[in-house]
Amino acid sequence: MSEQFLTAFYGGTFDPIHHGHLQPVIALAQLVNLQRVILLPNHLPLHRPPPQATPYQRLMMTRLAIADTPGKLFIIDERELRRATPSWTVETFQAIRREYGPMAPLGLIIGQDSLLTLPQWHRSEELLKLCHILVCARPGYLHSDHWMVHRLTDDPIALHHQPAGLVYCAATPELDISASDIRGRLHAILPCYDLLTPSVQGYINEQGLYRTASVRTLL
Ligand code: ATP
């Protein structure tokens, strides 16, 4: 049995980071007893159009969102943002695994929508050998677990006692918020005050972000 506690990473485009990203993960941290959640903003996602805000602007918004969040749960890992080229999640976790060692319990936090596409991710079976998958509920996405039934656990303690390979679906609050909806609202000059933290909203206003429509806004 490992003596180490689970370290959880949370990847995302965060274009912009919003309450739908943060609040379910705060609830997940309580359910699973996570001391730290390491945010991993993507540089250039491989499976979707490029972000509208620059990597620097997304990093700044992520920093501001953390500063608006009570406690010290979140920190940022800038490794993907600093890459000049896109990276697959499995490659990032290979590097993380090398750093933490073979026995350290590691987790990747995703939303329910991402769980549905996980089997199609690049080398997804290998990813599951590198980390657990911790899933936050997201409204509008049905639970479909046929491909991972043998990996499912409802015991959060088990996640701390083995390095990788389990899928835990957490009963976190369902927030009907998405970055694409926020970009659309900002483009239409509609308020987003209950969707974003105050500092992130202030930064978006100051930088004039998301005022023009982009391919991503229209998707
Ligand atoms: P977009 O609308 O541009 O697709 P998004 O709001 O889904 O963006 P991402 O940065 O692409 O945000 O998502 C990063 C991670 O956060 C994904 O695993 C996604 O499932 C999760 N996530 C995003 N919004 C929510 C939400 N409201 N509830 C639960 N999980 C969420």
Side-chain angles (χ1 to χ4, degrees), residues 10-16 18-21 24 42 48 109-115 121 136-139 172-181 183 216:
Y10 186 29
T13 314
F14 304 138
D15 185 29
H18 53 70
H19 288 320
H21 290 126
N42 309 141
R48 53 193 293 172
I109 301 172
I110 59 175
Q112 182 70 38
D113 55 313
S114 301
L115 180 67
W121 288 21
C136 290
R138 190 167 187 180
T172 50
E174 297 195 12
L175 277 74
D176 191 9
I177 304 174
S178 72
S180 39
D181 178 53
R183 293 192 299 275
R216 255 173 82 73

Coordinates of all heavy atoms in Angstrom, one line a residue, residues 10-16 18-21 24 42 48 109-115 121 136-139 172-181 183 216, ligand 1:
Y10 N -5.6 19.1 -13.4 CA -6.8 19.5 -14.0 C -6.5 20.3 -15.3 O -6.1 21.5 -15.2 CB -7.7 20.3 -13.1 CG -9.0 20.7 -13.6 CD1 -9.8 19.9 -14.4 CD2 -9.7 21.9 -13.1 CE1 -11.0 20.2 -14.8 CE2 -10.9 22.2 -13.5 CZ -11.6 21.4 -14.3 OH -12.9 21.7 -14.7
G11 N -6.5 19.6 -16.5 CA -6.2 20.3 -17.7 C -7.4 21.0 -18.3 O -8.5 20.6 -18.1
G12 N -7.1 22.0 -19.1 CA -8.2 22.7 -19.8 C -7.7 23.8 -20.6 O -6.5 24.3 -20.4
T13 N -8.5 24.3 -21.5 CA -8.1 25.4 -22.3 C -8.3 26.7 -21.5 O -7.6 27.7 -21.7 CB -9.0 25.5 -23.6 OG1 -9.0 24.2 -24.2 CG2 -8.4 26.4 -24.6
F14 N -9.3 26.7 -20.6 CA -9.5 27.8 -19.7 C -9.6 29.2 -20.5 O -8.9 30.1 -20.2 CB -8.5 27.9 -18.6 CG -8.4 26.6 -17.8 CD1 -7.1 26.1 -17.4 CD2 -9.5 25.9 -17.4 CE1 -7.0 24.9 -16.7 CE2 -9.4 24.8 -16.7 CZ -8.2 24.3 -16.3
D15 N -10.5 29.2 -21.5 CA -10.6 30.3 -22.5 C -12.0 30.9 -22.4 O -12.7 30.8 -23.5 CB -10.2 29.8 -23.9 CG -10.2 30.9 -24.9 OD1 -9.9 32.0 -24.6 OD2 -10.4 30.6 -26.1
P16 N -12.5 31.5 -21.3 CA -11.8 31.8 -20.1 C -12.1 30.7 -19.0 O -13.1 29.9 -19.2 CB -12.4 33.1 -19.6 CG -13.8 33.0 -20.1 CD -13.8 32.2 -21.4
H18 N -13.8 29.5 -15.6 CA -15.1 30.0 -15.1 C -15.5 29.2 -13.9 O -14.8 28.2 -13.5 CB -16.2 29.9 -16.2 CG -16.3 28.6 -16.9 ND1 -16.8 27.5 -16.3 CD2 -15.9 28.2 -18.2 CE1 -16.8 26.5 -17.2 NE2 -16.2 26.9 -18.3
H19 N -16.6 29.6 -13.3 CA -17.1 28.9 -12.1 C -17.4 27.4 -12.3 O -17.3 26.5 -11.5 CB -18.4 29.5 -11.5 CG -18.2 30.8 -10.9 ND1 -17.1 31.1 -10.1 CD2 -18.9 32.0 -10.9 CE1 -17.2 32.4 -9.7 NE2 -18.2 32.9 -10.2
G20 N -17.8 27.0 -13.6 CA -18.0 25.6 -13.9 C -16.8 24.8 -13.9 O -16.8 23.6 -13.7
H21 N -15.6 25.4 -14.1 CA -14.4 24.7 -13.9 C -14.1 24.5 -12.4 O -13.6 23.5 -11.9 CB -13.2 25.5 -14.5 CG -13.2 25.6 -16.0 ND1 -13.1 26.8 -16.7 CD2 -13.2 24.6 -16.9 CE1 -13.1 26.5 -18.0 NE2 -13.2 25.2 -18.1
P24 N -17.1 22.7 -9.2 CA -17.2 21.2 -9.0 C -15.8 20.6 -8.5 O -15.9 19.6 -7.7 CB -17.4 20.7 -10.5 CG -18.0 21.9 -11.2 CD -17.4 23.1 -10.6
N42 N -3.8 24.3 -21.2 CA -3.2 23.7 -22.5 C -2.7 24.9 -23.3 O -3.2 26.0 -23.2 CB -4.3 23.1 -23.4 CG -5.1 22.1 -22.7 OD1 -6.3 22.0 -22.9 ND2 -4.5 21.3 -21.8
R48 N -9.2 20.5 -31.2 CA -10.3 21.6 -31.3 C -9.6 22.9 -31.9 O -8.4 23.0 -31.9 CB -10.9 21.8 -29.9 CG -9.9 22.1 -28.9 CD -10.4 22.1 -27.5 NE -11.4 23.1 -27.3 CZ -12.2 23.2 -26.2 NH1 -12.1 22.3 -25.3 NH2 -13.0 24.2 -26.1
I109 N -8.3 15.2 -13.5 CA -9.7 15.6 -13.4 C -10.2 16.0 -14.7 O -9.6 16.8 -15.4 CB -9.8 16.8 -12.4 CG1 -9.2 16.4 -11.0 CG2 -11.2 17.3 -12.2 CD1 -9.0 17.6 -10.0
I110 N -11.4 15.5 -15.0 CA -12.1 15.9 -16.3 C -13.6 16.1 -16.0 O -14.1 15.6 -15.0 CB -11.9 14.9 -17.4 CG1 -12.4 13.5 -17.0 CG2 -10.4 14.8 -17.8 CD1 -12.4 12.5 -18.2
G111 N -14.3 16.7 -16.9 CA -15.7 16.8 -16.8 C -16.4 15.6 -17.4 O -15.7 14.9 -18.2
Q112 N -17.7 15.4 -17.1 CA -18.4 14.3 -17.7 C -18.4 14.3 -19.2 O -18.3 13.2 -19.8 CB -19.8 14.3 -17.2 CG -20.7 13.2 -17.6 CD -20.3 11.8 -17.0 OE1 -20.0 11.8 -15.8 NE2 -20.4 10.8 -17.7
D113 N -18.4 15.4 -19.8 CA -18.4 15.5 -21.3 C -17.0 14.9 -21.8 O -17.0 14.2 -22.8 CB -18.5 17.0 -21.8 CG -17.5 17.9 -21.2 OD1 -17.3 17.9 -20.0 OD2 -16.9 18.7 -21.9
S114 N -15.9 15.2 -21.1 CA -14.6 14.7 -21.6 C -14.5 13.2 -21.4 O -13.9 12.5 -22.1 CB -13.5 15.4 -20.8 OG -13.6 16.8 -21.0
L115 N -15.2 12.7 -20.3 CA -15.2 11.2 -20.1 C -15.8 10.5 -21.3 O -15.3 9.4 -21.7 CB -16.0 10.9 -18.8 CG -16.0 9.4 -18.5 CD1 -14.6 8.9 -18.1 CD2 -17.0 9.1 -17.3
W121 N -9.3 9.5 -27.0 CA -8.1 10.2 -26.8 C -6.9 9.4 -27.3 O -6.9 8.2 -27.2 CB -7.9 10.6 -25.3 CG -8.9 11.6 -24.8 CD1 -10.1 12.0 -25.3 CD2 -8.7 12.3 -23.6 NE1 -10.7 12.9 -24.5 CE2 -9.8 13.1 -23.4 CE3 -7.7 12.4 -22.6 CZ2 -10.0 14.0 -22.3 CZ3 -7.8 13.3 -21.5 CH2 -9.0 14.1 -21.4
C136 N -15.9 15.0 -12.8 CA -16.9 15.9 -12.2 C -18.2 15.8 -13.1 O -18.1 15.8 -14.3 CB -16.4 17.3 -12.2 SG -15.1 17.6 -11.1
A137 N -19.3 15.9 -12.4 CA -20.6 15.9 -13.1 C -20.7 17.2 -14.0 O -20.2 18.2 -13.6 CB -21.7 15.8 -12.1
R138 N -21.4 17.1 -15.1 CA -21.7 18.2 -15.9 C -23.0 18.1 -16.5 O -23.3 17.0 -17.1 CB -20.6 18.3 -17.0 CG -20.7 19.7 -17.8 CD -19.5 19.9 -18.7 NE -19.6 21.3 -19.2 CZ -18.7 21.8 -20.0 NH1 -17.6 21.2 -20.3 NH2 -18.9 23.0 -20.4
P139 N -23.9 19.1 -16.4 CA -25.3 18.9 -16.8 C -25.4 18.6 -18.4 O -24.6 19.2 -19.1 CB -26.0 20.2 -16.5 CG -25.0 21.1 -16.1 CD -23.7 20.4 -15.8
T172 N -20.6 15.8 -7.9 CA -20.3 17.2 -7.7 C -21.5 18.0 -8.2 O -22.3 17.6 -9.0 CB -19.0 17.6 -8.4 OG1 -19.1 17.1 -9.8 CG2 -17.8 17.0 -7.8
P173 N -21.6 19.3 -7.7 CA -22.7 20.1 -8.2 C -22.6 20.3 -9.7 O -21.6 20.5 -10.3 CB -22.5 21.5 -7.5 CG -21.3 21.3 -6.6 CD -20.7 19.9 -6.8
E174 N -23.8 20.3 -10.3 CA -23.8 20.5 -11.8 C -24.1 22.0 -12.1 O -25.1 22.5 -11.8 CB -25.0 19.6 -12.4 CG -24.7 18.2 -12.1 CD -25.6 17.3 -13.0 OE1 -26.3 17.8 -13.9 OE2 -25.7 16.1 -12.7
L175 N -23.1 22.5 -12.8 CA -23.2 23.9 -13.2 C -23.2 24.0 -14.7 O -22.3 23.6 -15.4 CB -22.0 24.7 -12.7 CG -22.0 25.2 -11.2 CD1 -21.8 24.1 -10.2 CD2 -21.0 26.3 -11.0
D176 N -24.3 24.6 -15.2 CA -24.5 24.7 -16.6 C -23.8 25.9 -17.2 O -24.4 26.9 -17.5 CB -26.0 24.8 -16.9 CG -26.3 24.6 -18.4 OD1 -25.3 24.2 -19.1 OD2 -27.4 24.8 -18.8
I177 N -22.4 25.8 -17.2 CA -21.6 26.9 -17.6 C -20.6 26.4 -18.6 O -20.0 25.3 -18.3 CB -20.8 27.6 -16.4 CG1 -21.8 28.0 -15.3 CG2 -20.0 28.7 -16.9 CD1 -21.1 28.6 -14.1
S178 N -20.3 27.0 -19.7 CA -19.2 26.6 -20.6 C -18.5 27.9 -21.1 O -19.1 29.0 -21.2 CB -19.8 25.8 -21.8 OG -20.5 26.7 -22.7
A179 N -17.2 27.7 -21.4 CA -16.4 28.8 -21.9 C -17.0 29.3 -23.2 O -17.0 30.5 -23.5 CB -15.0 28.4 -22.0
S180 N -17.5 28.4 -24.1 CA -18.0 28.8 -25.4 C -19.3 29.7 -25.2 O -19.4 30.7 -25.9 CB -18.3 27.7 -26.3 OG -18.8 26.6 -25.6
D181 N -20.1 29.4 -24.2 CA -21.3 30.2 -24.0 C -20.8 31.5 -23.4 O -21.4 32.6 -23.8 CB -22.2 29.5 -23.0 CG -23.4 30.3 -22.6 OD1 -24.1 30.7 -23.5 OD2 -23.6 30.5 -21.4
R183 N -18.0 33.1 -24.0 CA -17.4 33.9 -25.2 C -18.6 34.5 -26.0 O -18.5 35.6 -26.4 CB -16.5 33.0 -26.0 CG -15.2 32.6 -25.3 CD -14.2 32.0 -26.3 NE -14.7 30.8 -27.0 CZ -14.7 29.6 -26.5 NH1 -14.1 29.4 -25.3 NH2 -15.1 28.6 -27.2
R216 N -14.1 29.8 -32.7 CA -14.4 29.1 -31.5 C -15.6 29.7 -30.8 O -16.4 29.0 -30.3 CB -13.2 29.3 -30.5 CG -12.4 28.1 -30.3 CD -11.2 28.3 -29.5 NE -11.4 28.3 -28.1 CZ -11.6 27.2 -27.4 NH1 -11.7 26.1 -28.0 NH2 -11.8 27.3 -26.1
Ligands
ATP1 P1 -15.5 25.2 -24.3 O1 -16.9 25.7 -24.0 O2 -14.7 26.2 -25.0 O3 -15.5 23.9 -24.9 P2 -15.2 24.4 -21.5 O4 -16.1 25.3 -20.7 O5 -15.7 23.0 -21.8 O6 -14.8 25.1 -22.9 P3 -12.5 23.5 -21.2 O7 -11.3 24.4 -20.7 O8 -12.5 23.1 -22.5 O9 -13.8 24.3 -20.8 O10 -12.6 22.3 -20.2 C1 -11.6 21.8 -19.3 C2 -12.2 20.8 -18.5 O11 -13.2 21.3 -17.6 C3 -12.9 19.6 -19.3 O12 -12.5 18.4 -18.7 C4 -14.3 19.9 -19.1 O13 -15.1 18.7 -19.1 C5 -14.4 20.5 -17.7 N1 -15.5 21.4 -17.5 C6 -15.7 22.6 -18.2 N2 -16.9 23.2 -17.8 C7 -17.4 22.3 -16.9 C8 -18.6 22.4 -16.1 N3 -19.5 23.4 -16.2 N4 -18.9 21.3 -15.2 C9 -18.0 20.3 -15.1 N5 -16.8 20.2 -15.9 C10 -16.5 21.2 -16.7

